[in-house]
Amino acid sequence: MAPKTSSLLASLTGAALVAAHGHVSHIIVNGVQYRNYIPTTDFYSPNPPVVMGWSALNQDNGFVEPSNFGTPDIICHKSARPGGAHVTVAAGDKITFFWNDWPESHVGPVIDYLAACNGNCETVNPSSLRFFKIDGAGYDQAARTWAADVLRANGNSWTVQIPSDLKAGNYVLRHEIIALHGAANANGAQAYPQCINIRVTGGGNNLPSGVAGTQLYRASDPGILFNPHVGNPNYPVPGPALIAGAVSSIPQSRVTATATGTATRPGNDNNNPAPTPTTTSSRLTTLTTQTTPPPAVTTTAPPPSGATQSRYGQCGGNGYTGPTVCASGSTCQRLNEWYSQCL
Ligand SMILES: [Cu+2]
């Protein structure tokens, strides 16, 4: 609920509730692109394609709010149901998720989990899944970038590496961005989980223990209730610890596809043998790296009057008559029709 004592905070909370952006449109693994479930169109199609991605009620490209972090909606998004197929990868392979869009204002961490299905993922009960964290990147104080900034810099993509010693089998890969632009307020963070089914071949004997999706986060976690609008924030990535041997992020780069593929339905795996791991590195095209700084902000000269709004102050909106030029280092960003903020 918005604080009644402050119309400003009410405006900001409202903006956080209405601003919703994005889903994973496809993945690339070993140079092959696979279509994901497209919530904005497949939901309305009488015969949507059978894909590895889970379907969910996020037709608004929306998010799961912290007050629902204890409900099954946080597992693989709202009322999610397993994808009808899976993509086969080798342990150690890299999988790149592509988002259809990601707004610059939606800063925050990017986190990835795996959970064994103990059978076909296509028919798994989401509540039976136990997730372990294979990467989790927050804010890089040296590079001064959020993981979501790095994702944007790489064409709205994020690359995950399957542990090379992971036990072979069927897994749900849960990929997630948590947007923090409204997270200074209670219930203001936005979780955007996206799940796909994968079949992992090769590997070793490693099967880390995990937690139920409904146990990943609480609304009061320091990485969920967090103000990102401070200088060089020291951000604690929420959720369970990384598994042994994992890093917060592998180096990120642009990845391009050389072919398109179709996900495999249960029982048809011999028609779609696992790719050979040796092709992985040769098909990844590195254009940018994890440490790429965000693009420089181009500022225009302030008007002669010199009226300048300070960072985090209001700079626009219906009925607003104050300064519309932001202090150096910040730009005026529209949050809704009533409120624009220097960020
Ligand atoms: Cu949004």
Side-chain angles (χ1 to χ4, degrees), residues 18-21 63 103 106 181 190 192:
V18 298
H21 293 100
F63 53 88
H106 286 33
H181 54 289
Q190 304 178 349
Y192 295 79

Side-chain angles (χ1 to χ4, degrees), residues 30 94 277-286:
N30 296 319
K94 294 168 183 169
T278 51
T279 62
T280 303
S281 57
S282 64
R283 290 186 178 184
L284 292 176
T285 306
T286 300

